[in-house]
Amino acid sequence: MSKNQEAWVTMQLENAKRIHILRCKVWDLEEELNKERNKNGEKKKDNRGVNGI
């Protein structure tokens, strides 16, 4: 594998890690939002985002 290919693969892996971390943060925030809505007596929503995160 060339150095450019290795760099590209490494970059893709780093990007995948970042995306995963951000999706987890979004999931946690949506769970927190649902808890707040429940406290306020609002109807529970399943907010999994556009991509079903």
Side-chain angles (χ1 to χ4, degrees), residues 14-29:
E14 290 300 318
N15 286 341
K17 287 180 195 174
R18 286 189 200 107
I19 290 168
H20 176 73
I21 290 167
L22 289 171
R23 284 181 173 164
C24 289
K25 287 180 181 179
V26 167
W27 180 259
D28 290 342
L29 288 170

Side-chain angles (χ1 to χ4, degrees), residues 5-53:
Q5 287 172 319
E6 287 179 26
W8 185 84
V9 169
T10 300
M11 185 181 68
Q12 296 303 313
L13 289 171
E14 290 300 318
N15 286 341
K17 287 180 195 174
R18 286 189 200 107
I19 290 168
H20 176 73
I21 290 167
L22 289 171
R23 284 181 173 164
C24 289
K25 287 180 181 179
V26 167
W27 180 259
D28 290 342
L29 288 170
E30 288 176 340
E31 287 291 308
E32 195 175 315
L33 178 61
N34 277 333
K35 287 178 186 173
E36 285 298 316
R37 284 183 171 153
N38 287 340
K39 283 182 190 174
N40 295 333
E42 295 177 40
K43 191 173 180 181
K44 186 176 181 183
K45 293 183 180 181
D46 187 8
N47 291 328
R48 293 190 182 207
V50 176
N51 297 321
I53 300 170

